[in-house]
Amino acid sequence: MFDVEAIRSLFPITAQRFPILGKSEPEPVIYFDHGASTHPPQPVLDIYVNFLQHSYSNIHRASHYLSQIATEQFEHVTTEILSFIGGDADANTVIKTNNTTSALDLAAHIMSSVQGITLVTLLEHHSNDLPHRRRGEIAHVEILSDGTIDYGDLELKLQAHQVKLVALTGASNTTGFMPDLDRVARLAHAYGARILVDAAQLLAHKKIDVKPNDDPAHIDFLAAAGHKAYAPFGSAFLFGPKDMCNSAPPYIPGGGTVVFVTDSDALYMRSPDRHEGGTPNIAGAVALAASLNFLEGIGMENIRAHERELTERAIAGLSNIDGIRVLGHPDPSLRLGVISFVVEGVPDVIVSQILNAEAAIATRSGCFCAQPYIQRLLALNADEIRGRFLAGEIIQPEGAVRATIGIFNTESEVDELIRMAGVIGEHGWKGTYRMPSGCSAFI
Ligand code: ALA
C-alpha cells in the first residue's frame, strides 16, 4: 500500500521550513518543483554518502581494492537502468552522462552520420531540439490546440521526408502531456526511422518499457537523469543500440575511451567507454541506481496512481478559479503531474513570488526551456518578441507558473496551492512584488 506519510518521512527536505509573510513561525516548504529537480530520500543519501566514505575511487584504472569496488558498483548501475526500463543488455548499451541535455546531444551525435532528417515535436524542451538543429536538417511536428501531438502531421512528415529519427518527449515538462510512445515508435519504424525519447520528466513518475529491439514499438534511444528521479545532481544516461553506439565516433575522445594510441592514430573502445571520456560522476551514478531501486521498491504503478490523483485534484481546483487557465489537455490519464497555469492580469513571475513568500510553495515560472511550445499555448507573437530582444530591450516574455507533483506531495498541499491561487486570482495577496530588475511583461 502507498503510504504517503511514511514516504514523506524518508525525505529530509520535507522538514525544511521557511518564513511566511504575516506568520510569526516558519512553515514547512510545499515543494512543487519536482519537474526541475527532485530531492534524494534518506536511503539514497545513505548509499551516496557510504560510497563517498568507504568506496570512493576512480574506476577501470587500477587493481587496488577500492578501485575494484568502485568499478563493480559503477558497472552495476547499467544493470539497474536496463532492468528499470526493460532494455535488452545484448543489443543495447547504457552510456553515462552528466545530465539529460548531454545524453540527448550524444544521441544527436550518434545519429549524425545517418542520412535523412530529424523530426522534432513542438512539445520539446530545447535540449531535445537544438542539438538536432545543430547536427543537420530538422522539421517540426505540429501540435493541436489542446497541447497534444498532431499524429496526422507526424505521419505526413514521415511520408514527405527521408526521416532518420523522431525525437520526442516521454512527458512534456510544460503540460505533462505524454505522447503515445507505442504509436509514435510503430509509425517511425514503419517509415524506417528510429525514435529518441527524452524521458527526463517521465522516468520517476510512470513505468517505462523500451521493449525488445525487434518489437515495432521498441524505443531505440532513451535519455534521462537522476536529479529528476530522486538522486543527487550530476548523473544521467543514454540508452541506445549497441551497433550504432559502437560505430559512432567517440563523443569526447580522451581518457578512458581508447584501446591504443600511437603518435598518429588512436584505437577506440566500444560503447559505453568509447563515449564516456574523462572520469564520470561515479558516486552520482551509484546514487542513480539506488534511486531507481528505491522507486521500484515502492512500485511505479503505486507512484503513478498517487500522483495522478493529486494531478486530477489540482487541475480541477485550479480550473474552477475565475481568471485561471491550466495549460494543456485536461485529461489526467494523458498527463503527468506537471501543471502549468496562467493567472489573468498577474505576470507568472509575480505569481511564483507570491506563492513562495506567502505560503512557502515552491513553483517555477517562465517558459521552462520550451519556448516554441509556450508560444503556441499562449498564442504569443514570437517574431515581435524576437525583434524586441534584437533591439536590445530587457524584457520578460510572458510564460506560465508551473507546479510539478512528486512522490511525497499530499492532498492538503494541493489544496493549499489551490487556495493560494484563488487569493492571487482575486488580487488578495499581502506583500509587494516586482518584475526582475529592468523588465517589463507582455501583459
Ligand atoms: N529542465 C528542467 C525543468 O523543466 C530544469 O525545469
Side-chain angles (χ1 to χ4, degrees):
M1 204 191 82
F2 188 91
D3 179 350
V4 71
E5 289 308 325
I7 288 169
R8 276 184 85 76
S9 71
L10 298 175
F11 284 85
I13 203 76
T14 58
Q16 192 67 277
R17 289 172 177 262
F18 289 102
I20 286 187
L21 205 64
K23 290 207 176 170
S24 52
E25 294 298 324
E27 292 277 324
V29 63
I30 297 180
Y31 192 74
F32 282 131
D33 199 16
H34 289 99
S37 289
T38 51
H39 298 100
Q42 196 58 51
V44 172
L45 286 170
D46 288 346
I47 288 171
Y48 187 57
V49 171
N50 186 59
F51 179 87
L52 296 175
Q53 286 176 328
H54 304 294
S55 310
Y56 190 97
S57 174
N58 216 316
I59 50 167
H60 298 154
R61 286 165 173 80
S63 52
H64 57 77
Y65 285 133
L66 281 174
S67 184
Q68 283 177 37
I69 295 167
T71 301
E72 194 181 308
Q73 292 198 32
F74 187 73
E75 298 298 336
H76 174 72
V77 177
T78 298
T79 313
E80 189 63 50
I81 292 170
L82 285 170
S83 139
F84 194 79
I85 63 175
D88 169 12
D90 291 334
N92 301 287
T93 178
V94 174
I95 304 162
K96 273 78 141 207
T97 65
N98 296 331
N99 48 44
T100 315
T101 300
S102 52
L104 292 165
D105 189 66
L106 172 57
H109 163 82
I110 290 166
M111 287 299 296
S112 60
S113 62
V114 180
Q115 286 294 310
I117 72 162
T118 298
L119 293 184
V120 174
T121 86
L122 281 166
L123 292 158
E124 300 310 308
H125 189 286
H126 301 154
S127 296
N128 200 21
D129 184 341
L130 303 182
H132 305 296
R133 296 190 199 186
R134 197 162 73 127
R135 298 278 186 346
E137 196 187 333
I138 71 148
H140 281 125
V141 177
E142 290 296 332
I143 54 162
L144 301 175
S145 58
D146 59 11
T148 63
I149 233 174
D150 184 343
Y151 296 105
D153 187 58
L154 169 64
E155 180 147 25
L156 283 178
K157 290 198 165 116
L158 282 164
Q159 285 163 356
H161 303 276
Q162 184 193 342
V163 178
K164 63 176 175 181
L165 185 70
V166 177
L168 85 166
T169 186
S172 157
N173 77 327
T174 301
T175 58
F177 171 65
M178 293 179 288
D180 183 342
L181 294 180
D182 264 34
R183 181 172 174 181
V184 174
R186 284 173 197 280
L187 260 179
H189 293 145
Y191 288 92
R194 293 182 186 263
I195 159 173
L196 161 66
V197 172
D198 168 5
Q201 292 296 328
L202 193 61
L203 185 71
H205 305 283
K206 192 164 183 283
K207 176 87 187 132
I208 294 174
D209 182 4
V210 295
K211 299 196 167 69
N213 287 47
D214 58 1
D215 188 316
H218 171 63
I219 292 171
D220 303 281
F221 293 95
L222 185 124
H227 78 102
K228 291 187 201 287
Y230 307 103
F233 296 114
S235 180
F237 67 89
L238 176 70
F239 163 87
K242 233 179 210 174
D243 52 352
M244 296 196 74
C245 298
N246 283 340
S247 59
Y251 184 53
I252 305 178
T257 61
V258 289
V259 180
F260 192 65
V261 182
T262 67
D263 289 2
S264 57
D265 190 26
L267 301 179
Y268 288 97
M269 297 179 83
R270 292 158 74 82
S271 187
D273 309 66
R274 182 180 190 81
H275 300 296
E276 290 175 352
T279 298
N281 182 349
I282 303 162
V286 168
L288 167 58
S291 71
L292 297 183
N293 203 263
F294 171 80
L295 292 171
E296 257 169 353
I298 296 168
M300 291 310 293
E301 286 75 19
N302 297 330
I303 294 169
R304 169 67 181 149
H306 170 70
E307 294 180 2
R308 187 183 148 157
E309 223 168 86
L310 296 186
T311 303
E312 198 160 353
R313 192 178 185 93
I315 293 174
L318 290 169
S319 307
N320 258 337
I321 301 170
D322 275 350
I324 291 194
R325 176 161 82 95
V326 175
L327 305 183
H329 201 289
D331 182 350
S333 70
L334 293 181
R335 56 193 291 170
L336 289 185
V338 178
I339 302 153
S340 295
F341 60 96
V342 287
V343 184
E344 206 180 303
V346 191
D348 50 279
V349 61
I350 300 288
V351 176
S352 219
Q353 285 175 30
I354 299 170
L355 289 171
N356 179 59
E358 304 196 9
I361 299 176
T363 58
R364 187 179 163 191
S365 64
C367 299
F368 320 120
C369 305
Q371 295 191 20
Y373 191 29
I374 281 282
Q375 284 154 18
R376 278 160 184 81
L377 291 166
L378 300 183
L380 302 183
N381 184 337
D383 289 338
E384 185 209 328
I385 299 170
R386 181 172 179 274
R388 291 176 70 172
F389 271 116
L390 286 173
E393 269 191 74
I394 302 171
I395 51 175
Q396 173 90 23
E398 188 179 338
V401 184
R402 187 184 73 177
T404 43
I405 287 168
I407 195 169
F408 60 67
N409 287 127
T410 63
E411 280 186 5
S412 61
E413 289 181 320
V414 169
D415 292 346
E416 178 62 359
L417 171 71
I418 297 166
R419 185 191 70 77
M420 269 310 295
V423 169
I424 298 169
E426 288 172 357
H427 292 211
W429 58 83
K430 300 188 182 106
T432 306
Y433 302 93
R434 282 190 195 82
M435 296 295 292
S437 159
C439 289
S440 58
F442 277 95
I443 56 169

